[in-house]
Amino acid sequence: MTVSTDAASSRTGTGPLVVVLGGLSAVSPFAIDMYAPGFPQIVTSFATSKTAVQLSLTACLIGLAAGQLVLGPVSDALGRRRLLLAGSGMFGVFSLVCALAPTIAVFDVARLLQGIAGSAGIVIGRAVISDRFTGAHAARRLTTLSVIGSTAPVLAPVAGGLILGVGSWRLVFVALAVTGLVLSAAIRAWVPESLPAERRRTGGLRAAFAAMGALLRRRELAGYLLAMGCGLAALFAYITGSPFVFEGTYGLSPTAYGLVFATNAVGTVVTGTVFGRLAGRVRLNLLLTVGVAVTVVSLATLVTLLAVGISTLPTTWACLFGLTSGFGLLLPASITIILAIGSDTPGAASGLLGGAQFVLGAAAAPLPGVLGNTTAMSTAVVVLGCVVLSAAALVTLARPWQGHGEPSGSE
């Protein structure tokens, strides 16, 4: 039976459990962004090109996407704890390989494998929450993981910059290796197996991917998945386009841009916290609809202002703050609903979530500059297109008025 009461969960150490799962959800975003300030050093160290170093980021994203698609459903068959331990341990090992890499080729391959290992914490962490909690209790804990995941990319470059102030780029990966080992110890201490043998699926990888296929054939789940995935695509397009907008168009320094980015991230954290407080009292589908609507209205306003010639720092910043604030409702609500709909195979559902996030995000990331120059208008149009697709998927496929994924009764 799924544990769904706070009283029951407190007896098994929910606080430390969520802290460890939060760490697992943050370590991969740190692995993605923490070494970014060291790109020039890496180019010099390996005597290679900027493109080759950027490929290491692509390799990590591919690993994260592929790893979640595979490890999520596999955990439905093998259990959660062993894969979490293996993933965190191998994350530490491949981080150390990155730190010691003699060539850019070895570095890029290690980054791919590091991404695959790191994906275990993200995808299986969500499945653990789904195993143990339902309804509002699950929503609150998933919101915690979502807020941590949204904050980590903001803090990672800052942490990387601090490390680079005292050592080389290789020290960043030594820090990540140590983090992997610490998380392994924390899993052993505070993350018990959440999927007993009698609830596991049999049949190996074929059965696991069959379970994912069955989930995708559910119209409503496909709709929520696309709504969430297109929302993440909008976020990645915003992340890649905004530095050129604020630094190139509005003349901000990198430090000032960092302040803008951090302030917008606060919008996501604040609305995510509001979501956690409202979950259980307000329908999840309503919160999701409001989040999607806020993103669409914010970007439609920005595109309209730019089209009529109003291109100022305050107006663009305000509209993008509205966008990031909408994400604070859109992401945790859609994730909670998807896992509720796919509760019979939470690992497969979590794997689909991770795959959709990184595949659609990676596809959208280069689009603001696809015509050769990243401008405020090109970024706004791409982001607006993504959130409009998110809204279309919500209305035509998910149909939130039908109440899919809502708690069936009082918690």
Side-chain angles (χ1 to χ4, degrees):
M1 295 293 291
T2 300
V3 178
S4 60
T5 66
D6 286 330
S9 61
S10 65
R11 293 195 296 270
T12 55
T14 294
L17 171 70
V18 174
V19 169
V20 176
L21 296 181
L24 290 168
S25 70
V27 72
S28 288
F30 265 78
I32 292 171
D33 295 334
M34 193 172 175
Y35 79 129
F39 272 20
Q41 280 191 21
I42 299 173
V43 170
T44 302
S45 177
F46 289 129
T48 188
S49 66
K50 295 178 181 178
T51 302
V53 175
Q54 290 169 336
L55 182 61
S56 67
L57 179 58
T58 302
C60 187
L61 289 174
I62 291 172
L64 283 167
Q68 290 188 73
L69 285 170
V70 173
L71 295 178
V74 167
S75 73
D76 285 336
L78 301 181
R80 317 295 188 202
R81 180 177 160 87
R82 285 185 297 171
L83 288 176
L84 280 176
L85 284 169
S88 59
M90 296 308 296
F91 178 87
V93 169
F94 290 125
S95 295
L96 190 59
V97 173
C98 289
L100 300 175
T103 66
I104 188 64
V106 173
F107 182 70
D108 285 348
V109 172
R111 285 287 285 165
L112 172 69
L113 297 174
Q114 184 194 40
I116 294 172
S119 71
I122 299 175
V123 67
I124 300 174
R126 286 193 299 254
V128 169
I129 296 294
S130 187
D131 289 337
R132 296 187 50 159
F133 307 100
T134 60
H137 296 301
R140 294 188 187 102
R141 288 161 179 85
L142 288 169
T143 298
T144 299
L145 301 188
S146 178
V147 168
I148 291 172
S150 300
T151 306
V154 180
L155 299 178
V158 177
L162 292 174
I163 292 175
L164 288 169
V166 298
S168 78
W169 64 268
R170 295 181 186 273
L171 193 59
V172 171
F173 289 94
V174 171
L176 289 171
V178 172
T179 302
L181 295 178
V182 170
L183 287 172
S184 294
I187 293 167
R188 290 185 182 278
W190 291 304
V191 184
E193 178 57 62
S194 61
L195 186 67
E198 63 270 16
R199 287 173 48 201
R200 296 176 189 174
R201 298 179 66 89
T202 59
L205 274 178
R206 179 177 297 181
F209 285 112
M212 296 177 75
L215 288 176
L216 286 174
R217 287 193 291 273
R218 300 182 189 179
R219 170 191 50 78
E220 66 277 9
L221 186 136
Y224 288 115
L225 196 64
L226 283 172
M228 182 275 302
C230 291
L232 262 296
L235 178 60
F236 273 83
Y238 154 73
I239 289 172
T240 58
S242 60
F244 299 99
V245 173
F246 287 106
E247 294 181 34
T249 302
Y250 300 124
L252 297 186
S253 67
T255 301
Y257 165 71
L259 175 63
V260 170
F261 192 88
T263 301
N264 287 356
V266 168
T268 303
V269 174
V270 169
T271 51
T273 302
V274 171
F275 173 86
R277 293 184 177 275
L278 293 179
R281 291 184 287 173
V282 178
R283 290 166 59 85
L284 294 174
N285 280 277
L286 176 59
L287 293 171
L288 173 58
T289 302
V290 170
V292 172
V294 169
T295 63
V296 172
V297 170
S298 298
L299 263 295
T301 301
L302 178 57
V303 169
T304 301
L305 290 173
L306 295 173
V308 300
I310 301 175
S311 178
T312 68
L313 173 61
T315 55
T316 300
W317 189 354
C319 290
L320 292 176
F321 181 83
L323 171 76
T324 57
S325 298
F327 289 143
L329 296 177
L330 189 162
L331 298 180
S334 58
I335 289 171
T336 303
I337 292 170
I338 290 167
L339 290 178
I341 295 173
S343 59
D344 51 333
T345 53
S350 187
L352 286 173
L353 273 169
Q357 288 176 3
F358 287 101
V359 169
L360 292 176
L367 294 182
V370 71
L371 298 179
N373 187 27
T374 302
T375 65
M377 179 61 88
S378 70
T379 300
V381 167
V382 170
V383 177
L384 176 61
C386 291
V387 295
V388 167
L389 288 174
S390 176
L394 185 68
V395 173
T396 60
L397 296 174
R399 302 173 189 175
W401 57 88
Q402 295 179 347
H404 300 291
E406 297 287 351
S408 57
S410 60
E411 297 295 321

